[in-house]
Amino acid sequence: MRNPRRADFPLLAANPELHYLDSAATSQKPRVVLDAMRDYYERDNANPHRGAYDLSVRATERYHDARATIARFLGVADPDCLLFTRGTTESLNLVATAWGYANINAGDEIIVTALEHHANFVPWQQLAFARGARFVVCPLTSDERVDLDALRALVSSRTKVVAFSHVSNAVGTVNPVQEMAAIARAVGALVVCDGAQGAPHLRVGFDALDVDFYAFSGHKMCGPMGIGGLIGRRDILEAMPPYQFGGDMIEFVRDDHSTWNVLPHKFEAGTPNVADAVGLAAACTYLDGIGMDDVLAHERALTALATERLSHIEGIRVYGPPPAGRSGVVSFTMSDIHPHDLATILDQNGVCIRAGHHCAQPLMRRLGVSATARASFYVYSDERDVDALVLALDKARVLFAEPATSR
Ligand code: PLP
Protein backbone atom coordinates (compact mmCIF):
# COMPACT_ATOMS: atom_id res chain seq x y z
CA MET A 1 0.00 0.00 0.00
CA ARG A 2 1.19 3.47 -0.81
CA ASN A 3 1.59 6.10 1.92
CA PRO A 4 -1.92 7.65 2.27
CA ARG A 5 -0.26 11.06 2.69
CA ARG A 6 0.58 10.98 -1.03
CA ALA A 7 -3.05 11.96 -1.62
CA ASP A 8 -2.30 15.37 -0.04
CA PHE A 9 0.24 16.11 -2.80
CA PRO A 10 -1.35 16.67 -6.21
CA LEU A 11 1.82 15.82 -8.17
CA LEU A 12 2.24 12.49 -6.37
CA ALA A 13 -1.47 11.69 -6.46
CA ALA A 14 -1.42 12.16 -10.24
CA ASN A 15 1.63 9.87 -10.63
CA PRO A 16 1.05 6.78 -8.50
CA GLU A 17 4.06 4.97 -9.95
CA LEU A 18 6.49 7.86 -9.40
CA HIS A 19 9.14 7.29 -6.72
CA TYR A 20 10.26 10.78 -5.78
CA LEU A 21 13.45 10.37 -3.73
CA ASP A 22 14.91 13.85 -4.14
CA SER A 23 13.21 15.71 -1.30
CA ALA A 24 16.52 17.00 0.09
CA ALA A 25 16.75 19.05 -3.13
CA THR A 26 13.16 20.23 -2.99
CA SER A 27 9.98 18.80 -1.50
CA GLN A 28 6.66 18.27 -3.21
CA LYS A 29 3.87 20.68 -2.23
CA PRO A 30 0.63 19.68 -0.51
CA ARG A 31 -2.68 20.97 -1.84
CA VAL A 32 -3.21 23.10 1.29
CA VAL A 33 -0.14 25.17 0.36
CA LEU A 34 -1.25 25.68 -3.24
CA ASP A 35 -4.78 26.55 -2.03
CA ALA A 36 -3.50 29.07 0.52
CA MET A 37 -1.49 30.90 -2.13
CA ARG A 38 -4.37 30.93 -4.59
CA ASP A 39 -6.73 32.15 -1.87
CA TYR A 40 -4.38 35.02 -1.04
CA TYR A 41 -4.17 36.14 -4.67
CA GLU A 42 -7.90 35.74 -5.25
CA ARG A 43 -9.08 37.55 -2.11
CA ASP A 44 -6.41 39.71 -0.45
CA ASN A 45 -3.70 40.66 -2.96
CA ALA A 46 -2.33 44.22 -2.72
CA ASN A 47 1.02 45.79 -1.92
CA PRO A 48 1.25 45.57 1.88
CA HIS A 49 2.46 48.24 4.32
CA ARG A 50 1.80 51.04 1.81
CA GLY A 51 -1.87 51.46 1.07
CA ALA A 52 -4.35 53.19 3.36
CA TYR A 53 -7.20 51.14 1.88
CA ASP A 54 -8.75 48.00 3.33
CA LEU A 55 -7.37 45.55 0.74
CA SER A 56 -3.79 46.62 1.46
CA VAL A 57 -4.46 46.31 5.18
CA ARG A 58 -5.67 42.75 4.61
CA ALA A 59 -2.52 41.91 2.61
CA THR A 60 -0.43 43.34 5.46
CA GLU A 61 -2.32 41.17 7.95
CA ARG A 62 -1.81 38.02 5.86
CA TYR A 63 1.95 38.74 5.73
CA HIS A 64 2.07 39.45 9.45
CA ASP A 65 0.06 36.32 10.34
CA ALA A 66 2.27 34.17 8.10
CA ARG A 67 5.38 35.36 9.93
CA ALA A 68 3.76 34.61 13.30
CA THR A 69 2.78 31.06 12.21
CA ILE A 70 6.25 30.26 10.86
CA ALA A 71 7.93 31.71 13.97
CA ARG A 72 5.71 29.57 16.22
CA PHE A 73 6.55 26.47 14.17
CA LEU A 74 10.29 27.12 14.48
CA GLY A 75 10.16 27.96 18.19
CA VAL A 76 10.83 31.71 17.93
CA ALA A 77 8.99 33.70 20.61
CA ASP A 78 9.63 37.07 18.92
CA PRO A 79 8.35 36.88 15.29
CA ASP A 80 10.09 40.17 14.42
CA CYS A 81 13.39 38.30 14.70
CA LEU A 82 12.35 36.11 11.75
CA LEU A 83 13.33 37.86 8.51
CA PHE A 84 11.96 36.68 5.19
CA THR A 85 14.55 36.06 2.49
CA ARG A 86 14.64 34.09 -0.77
CA GLY A 87 16.00 31.11 1.14
CA THR A 88 19.01 29.70 2.97
CA THR A 89 21.55 30.96 0.43
CA GLU A 90 20.37 34.54 0.74
CA SER A 91 20.09 34.27 4.54
CA LEU A 92 23.68 33.09 4.94
CA ASN A 93 24.98 35.71 2.53
CA LEU A 94 23.03 38.31 4.51
CA VAL A 95 24.81 37.40 7.76
CA ALA A 96 28.24 36.99 6.18
CA THR A 97 27.92 40.36 4.44
CA ALA A 98 26.00 42.59 6.89
CA TRP A 99 27.41 41.20 10.14
CA GLY A 100 30.69 40.03 8.64
CA TYR A 101 31.91 43.27 7.09
CA ALA A 102 31.04 45.17 10.29
CA ASN A 103 32.77 42.71 12.62
CA ILE A 104 35.51 40.66 10.93
CA ASN A 105 39.02 42.09 10.78
CA ALA A 106 42.55 41.01 9.87
CA GLY A 107 43.82 38.30 12.19
CA ASP A 108 40.33 36.99 13.09
CA GLU A 109 39.33 33.40 12.36
CA ILE A 110 36.18 31.95 10.85
CA ILE A 111 35.49 28.22 11.30
CA VAL A 112 33.17 26.13 9.14
CA THR A 113 33.01 22.32 8.94
CA ALA A 114 33.96 19.98 6.11
CA LEU A 115 30.28 18.92 5.88
CA GLU A 116 29.00 22.26 4.62
CA HIS A 117 26.93 23.03 1.55
CA HIS A 118 28.66 25.69 -0.55
CA ALA A 119 26.07 28.21 0.70
CA ASN A 120 27.54 27.93 4.20
CA PHE A 121 31.14 27.65 3.03
CA VAL A 122 31.86 30.11 0.23
CA PRO A 123 30.30 33.28 1.81
CA TRP A 124 32.54 32.76 4.89
CA GLN A 125 35.57 31.89 2.79
CA GLN A 126 35.15 35.02 0.67
CA LEU A 127 34.52 37.20 3.74
CA ALA A 128 37.73 35.88 5.31
CA PHE A 129 39.72 36.55 2.14
CA ALA A 130 38.31 40.08 1.81
CA ARG A 131 39.04 41.00 5.44
CA GLY A 132 42.42 39.28 5.83
CA ALA A 133 40.98 36.76 8.30
CA ARG A 134 41.89 33.06 8.55
CA PHE A 135 39.40 30.56 7.14
CA VAL A 136 39.51 27.23 8.97
CA VAL A 137 37.71 23.99 8.04
CA CYS A 138 36.93 21.66 10.95
CA PRO A 139 37.61 17.99 10.06
CA LEU A 140 35.22 15.04 10.32
CA THR A 141 35.31 11.61 11.91
CA SER A 142 35.59 8.53 9.69
CA ASP A 143 31.77 8.26 9.56
CA GLU A 144 31.18 11.87 8.46
CA ARG A 145 30.31 13.46 11.79
CA VAL A 146 31.92 16.72 12.90
CA ASP A 147 35.00 15.90 14.99
CA LEU A 148 34.07 17.71 18.21
CA ASP A 149 37.50 17.23 19.78
CA ALA A 150 39.03 18.87 16.72
CA LEU A 151 36.53 21.73 16.98
CA ARG A 152 37.42 22.22 20.66
CA ALA A 153 41.09 22.34 19.73
CA LEU A 154 40.53 24.78 16.84
CA VAL A 155 38.56 27.52 18.64
CA SER A 156 40.46 30.32 20.32
CA SER A 157 40.04 33.95 21.28
CA ARG A 158 40.66 34.78 17.60
CA THR A 159 37.59 32.76 16.50
CA LYS A 160 34.81 35.19 15.61
CA VAL A 161 32.37 32.87 13.77
CA VAL A 162 31.58 29.16 13.90
CA ALA A 163 29.19 28.23 11.08
CA PHE A 164 27.78 24.73 10.64
CA SER A 165 24.75 22.90 9.30
CA HIS A 166 22.00 21.42 11.45
CA VAL A 167 21.81 18.46 9.06
CA SER A 168 24.10 17.63 6.13
CA ASN A 169 22.36 17.60 2.75
CA ALA A 170 25.07 15.40 1.23
CA VAL A 171 25.24 12.51 3.73
CA GLY A 172 22.43 13.26 6.21
CA THR A 173 24.50 13.68 9.40
CA VAL A 174 22.47 15.36 12.18
CA ASN A 175 24.86 17.62 14.07
CA PRO A 176 24.72 18.12 17.87
CA VAL A 177 23.86 21.82 17.53
CA GLN A 178 23.77 22.69 21.22
CA GLU A 179 27.10 21.00 21.90
CA MET A 180 28.74 22.74 18.95
CA ALA A 181 27.20 26.07 19.94
CA ALA A 182 28.60 25.66 23.48
CA ILE A 183 32.10 25.12 22.08
CA ALA A 184 31.79 28.31 20.01
CA ARG A 185 30.23 30.28 22.88
CA ALA A 186 33.12 29.37 25.19
CA VAL A 187 35.35 31.66 23.09
CA GLY A 188 32.67 34.29 22.39
CA ALA A 189 32.21 33.41 18.70
CA LEU A 190 29.04 34.10 16.69
CA VAL A 191 27.14 30.84 16.09
CA VAL A 192 25.50 30.45 12.67
CA CYS A 193 23.44 27.38 11.85
CA ASP A 194 22.42 26.40 8.32
CA GLY A 195 19.00 24.85 8.88
CA ALA A 196 18.12 24.12 5.24
CA GLN A 197 17.92 20.40 6.08
CA GLY A 198 16.97 20.90 9.73
CA ALA A 199 13.71 22.85 9.58
CA PRO A 200 12.01 20.42 7.14
CA HIS A 201 12.84 17.28 9.09
CA LEU A 202 13.07 17.89 12.84
CA ARG A 203 11.76 20.12 15.61
CA VAL A 204 13.95 23.24 15.53
CA GLY A 205 13.05 25.07 18.76
CA PHE A 206 15.22 28.08 17.88
CA ASP A 207 14.99 29.75 21.28
CA ALA A 208 16.40 26.64 23.01
CA LEU A 209 19.12 25.94 20.42
CA ASP A 210 21.42 28.72 21.65
CA VAL A 211 22.59 29.77 18.18
CA ASP A 212 22.74 33.40 17.02
CA PHE A 213 21.42 32.80 13.49
CA TYR A 214 19.40 30.03 11.86
CA ALA A 215 18.78 29.97 8.09
CA PHE A 216 16.12 27.93 6.25
CA SER A 217 14.40 27.46 2.88
CA GLY A 218 10.64 27.12 2.41
CA HIS A 219 10.80 24.91 -0.68
CA LYS A 220 12.43 22.03 1.21
CA MET A 221 9.65 21.95 3.83
CA CYS A 222 6.52 21.64 1.68
CA GLY A 223 6.47 25.39 0.97
CA PRO A 224 6.92 27.30 -2.29
CA MET A 225 10.24 28.16 -3.94
CA GLY A 226 11.48 31.72 -3.54
CA ILE A 227 10.93 32.15 0.18
CA GLY A 228 12.83 31.22 3.30
CA GLY A 229 14.14 33.01 6.29
CA LEU A 230 16.80 34.02 8.70
CA ILE A 231 16.14 33.94 12.43
CA GLY A 232 18.49 36.04 14.51
CA ARG A 233 18.93 37.26 18.05
CA ARG A 234 17.29 40.67 18.48
CA ASP A 235 20.33 42.45 19.98
CA ILE A 236 22.54 41.30 17.11
CA LEU A 237 19.99 42.16 14.42
CA GLU A 238 19.48 45.61 15.91
CA ALA A 239 23.22 46.32 16.00
CA MET A 240 23.78 45.00 12.47
CA PRO A 241 23.70 47.34 9.46
CA PRO A 242 21.10 46.65 6.73
CA TYR A 243 21.94 44.27 3.89
CA GLN A 244 19.93 45.96 1.13
CA PHE A 245 18.51 49.46 0.77
CA GLY A 246 15.21 50.66 -0.69
CA GLY A 247 11.52 50.84 0.09
CA ASP A 248 10.07 49.62 3.41
CA MET A 249 13.42 49.31 5.21
CA ILE A 250 13.86 53.05 5.92
CA GLU A 251 12.55 55.35 8.65
CA PHE A 252 13.64 58.77 7.30
CA VAL A 253 15.56 59.64 4.15
CA ARG A 254 17.27 63.03 3.98
CA ASP A 255 19.74 64.33 1.42
CA ASP A 256 22.61 63.92 3.85
CA HIS A 257 21.62 60.75 5.76
CA SER A 258 19.00 58.03 6.23
CA THR A 259 17.75 56.04 9.21
CA TRP A 260 16.35 52.52 9.33
CA ASN A 261 12.99 50.99 10.09
CA VAL A 262 12.50 48.62 13.05
CA LEU A 263 12.80 44.83 12.81
CA PRO A 264 11.96 42.91 10.72
CA HIS A 265 11.49 45.63 8.05
CA LYS A 266 15.10 46.89 8.33
CA PHE A 267 16.19 43.70 6.57
CA GLU A 268 13.31 43.37 4.09
CA ALA A 269 13.91 46.01 1.43
CA GLY A 270 11.36 46.22 -1.39
CA THR A 271 7.92 44.74 -1.98
CA PRO A 272 7.62 41.59 0.13
CA ASN A 273 6.80 38.12 -1.18
CA VAL A 274 3.43 37.84 0.57
CA ALA A 275 1.90 34.92 -1.33
CA ASP A 276 4.93 32.71 -0.75
CA ALA A 277 4.98 33.67 2.94
CA VAL A 278 1.31 32.64 3.13
CA GLY A 279 2.18 29.35 1.36
CA LEU A 280 5.07 28.67 3.72
CA ALA A 281 2.87 29.32 6.74
CA ALA A 282 0.38 26.77 5.37
CA ALA A 283 3.28 24.31 4.95
CA CYS A 284 4.27 24.81 8.60
CA THR A 285 0.69 24.20 9.71
CA TYR A 286 0.62 21.04 7.57
CA LEU A 287 3.88 19.71 9.08
CA ASP A 288 2.67 20.66 12.56
CA GLY A 289 -0.43 18.56 11.93
CA ILE A 290 1.79 15.52 11.38
CA GLY A 291 4.13 16.43 14.25
CA MET A 292 7.85 16.89 13.66
CA ASP A 293 8.76 13.96 15.91
CA ASP A 294 6.67 11.72 13.66
CA VAL A 295 8.20 13.28 10.53
CA LEU A 296 11.70 12.40 11.72
CA ALA A 297 10.69 8.94 12.97
CA HIS A 298 9.07 8.16 9.59
CA GLU A 299 12.16 9.27 7.64
CA ARG A 300 14.53 7.42 9.98
CA ALA A 301 12.57 4.18 9.60
CA LEU A 302 12.82 4.42 5.79
CA THR A 303 16.50 5.41 6.00
CA ALA A 304 17.23 2.39 8.18
CA LEU A 305 15.28 0.09 5.84
CA ALA A 306 16.99 1.44 2.71
CA THR A 307 20.45 1.31 4.29
CA GLU A 308 19.89 -2.29 5.36
CA ARG A 309 18.62 -3.36 1.94
CA LEU A 310 21.40 -1.55 0.10
CA SER A 311 23.96 -3.36 2.27
CA HIS A 312 22.96 -6.59 0.46
CA ILE A 313 23.73 -5.17 -2.98
CA GLU A 314 27.23 -5.91 -4.15
CA GLY A 315 29.54 -2.91 -4.46
CA ILE A 316 27.40 -0.39 -2.60
CA ARG A 317 28.96 1.90 -0.03
CA VAL A 318 26.71 4.16 2.07
CA TYR A 319 28.26 7.32 3.55
CA GLY A 320 27.56 9.03 6.84
CA PRO A 321 26.83 7.78 10.36
CA PRO A 322 24.39 4.91 11.12
CA PRO A 323 20.72 5.73 10.29
CA ALA A 324 19.95 6.78 13.91
CA GLY A 325 22.39 9.70 13.42
CA ARG A 326 21.02 10.74 10.04
CA SER A 327 17.89 12.35 8.67
CA GLY A 328 16.11 10.89 5.62
CA VAL A 329 19.21 10.79 3.43
CA VAL A 330 20.96 7.74 1.97
CA SER A 331 24.08 8.80 0.07
CA PHE A 332 25.99 6.05 -1.69
CA THR A 333 28.28 4.93 -4.48
CA MET A 334 28.10 1.62 -6.35
CA SER A 335 31.36 0.02 -7.49
CA ASP A 336 32.80 2.10 -10.29
CA ILE A 337 29.44 3.02 -11.84
CA HIS A 338 29.24 6.80 -12.08
CA PRO A 339 26.39 8.19 -9.95
CA HIS A 340 25.05 10.06 -13.00
CA ASP A 341 24.72 6.74 -14.88
CA LEU A 342 22.96 5.25 -11.86
CA ALA A 343 20.55 8.19 -11.72
CA THR A 344 19.75 7.78 -15.42
CA ILE A 345 18.98 4.08 -15.06
CA LEU A 346 16.89 4.73 -11.95
CA ASP A 347 14.97 7.43 -13.80
CA GLN A 348 14.11 4.90 -16.51
CA ASN A 349 12.53 2.87 -13.69
CA GLY A 350 10.50 5.76 -12.28
CA VAL A 351 12.89 6.51 -9.42
CA CYS A 352 14.09 10.12 -8.99
CA ILE A 353 17.36 10.45 -7.11
CA ARG A 354 20.09 13.09 -7.17
CA ALA A 355 23.62 12.40 -8.36
CA GLY A 356 26.51 14.79 -8.07
CA HIS A 357 28.59 16.66 -5.51
CA HIS A 358 25.44 18.03 -3.81
CA CYS A 359 27.07 21.50 -3.60
CA ALA A 360 29.52 20.02 -1.11
CA GLN A 361 32.76 19.68 -3.06
CA PRO A 362 35.00 20.01 0.03
CA LEU A 363 33.17 17.01 1.53
CA MET A 364 33.35 14.97 -1.70
CA ARG A 365 37.11 15.60 -1.86
CA ARG A 366 37.49 14.27 1.67
CA LEU A 367 35.38 11.19 0.79
CA GLY A 368 37.67 10.61 -2.19
CA VAL A 369 34.83 10.73 -4.74
CA SER A 370 33.68 13.32 -7.25
CA ALA A 371 30.01 12.51 -6.68
CA THR A 372 27.57 10.26 -4.85
CA ALA A 373 24.05 9.07 -5.58
CA ARG A 374 21.55 10.34 -3.00
CA ALA A 375 18.07 9.08 -2.18
CA SER A 376 16.18 11.30 0.25
CA PHE A 377 12.85 10.63 1.97
CA TYR A 378 10.06 12.82 3.26
CA VAL A 379 6.58 12.65 4.75
CA TYR A 380 5.05 11.13 1.59
CA SER A 381 7.73 8.45 1.02
CA ASP A 382 7.01 4.80 1.70
CA GLU A 383 8.40 1.28 1.60
CA ARG A 384 7.41 0.92 -2.04
CA ASP A 385 9.84 3.72 -2.84
CA VAL A 386 12.57 1.70 -1.12
CA ASP A 387 11.52 -1.44 -3.04
CA ALA A 388 11.70 0.46 -6.33
CA LEU A 389 15.10 1.91 -5.46
CA VAL A 390 16.55 -1.50 -4.59
CA LEU A 391 15.06 -3.15 -7.68
CA ALA A 392 16.41 -0.46 -10.00
CA LEU A 393 19.87 -0.58 -8.40
CA ASP A 394 19.91 -4.33 -8.89
CA LYS A 395 19.09 -3.82 -12.57
CA ALA A 396 21.94 -1.31 -12.83
CA ARG A 397 24.34 -3.76 -11.21
CA VAL A 398 23.42 -6.49 -13.70
CA LEU A 399 23.57 -4.09 -16.66
CA PHE A 400 27.02 -2.81 -15.77
CA ALA A 401 28.30 -6.32 -15.02
CA GLU A 402 27.67 -7.23 -18.69
CA PRO A 403 30.50 -6.67 -21.16
CA ALA A 404 30.19 -3.25 -22.79
CA THR A 405 29.59 -4.78 -26.26
CA SER A 406 26.40 -6.53 -25.16
CA ARG A 407 24.84 -3.36 -23.58
N1 PLP B 1 22.37 24.46 2.88
C1 PLP B 1 21.99 23.18 2.75
C2 PLP B 1 22.40 22.19 3.80
C3 PLP B 1 21.20 22.79 1.66
O1 PLP B 1 20.81 21.52 1.54
C4 PLP B 1 20.84 23.76 0.71
C5 PLP B 1 20.07 23.36 -0.50
O2 PLP B 1 20.20 22.27 -0.98
C6 PLP B 1 21.23 25.08 0.90
C7 PLP B 1 22.00 25.39 1.99
C8 PLP B 1 20.83 26.15 -0.06
O3 PLP B 1 19.45 26.30 -0.03
P1 PLP B 1 18.68 27.20 -1.14
O4 PLP B 1 19.18 26.72 -2.47
O5 PLP B 1 17.26 26.91 -0.89
O6 PLP B 1 19.06 28.61 -0.85
Side-chain angles (χ1 to χ4, degrees), residues 68-78 82 203-209 231:
T69 300
I70 299 161
R72 226 174 8 256
F73 176 73
L74 295 172
V76 188
D78 182 353
L82 189 158
R203 188 179 301 283
V204 172
F206 174 82
D207 288 341
L209 268 190
I231 310 165

Side-chain angles (χ1 to χ4, degrees), residues 202-215:
L202 33 87
R203 188 179 301 283
V204 172
F206 174 82
D207 288 341
L209 268 190
D210 200 28
V211 302
D212 295 309
F213 287 104
Y214 192 92

Side-chain angles (χ1 to χ4, degrees), residues 388-406:
L389 172 70
V390 171
L391 196 68
L393 285 173
D394 225 29
K395 279 189 190 167
R397 185 183 59 77
V398 171
L399 185 69
F400 278 88
E402 290 169 6
T405 47
S406 61

Side-chain angles (χ1 to χ4, degrees), residues 1-7 298 302 378-383:
M1 232 232 343
R2 299 240 65 177
N3 183 339
R5 221 171 268 133
R6 281 176 71 97
H298 175 69
L302 291 174
Y378 207 20
V379 292
Y380 35 71
S381 310
D382 59 25
E383 291 187 11

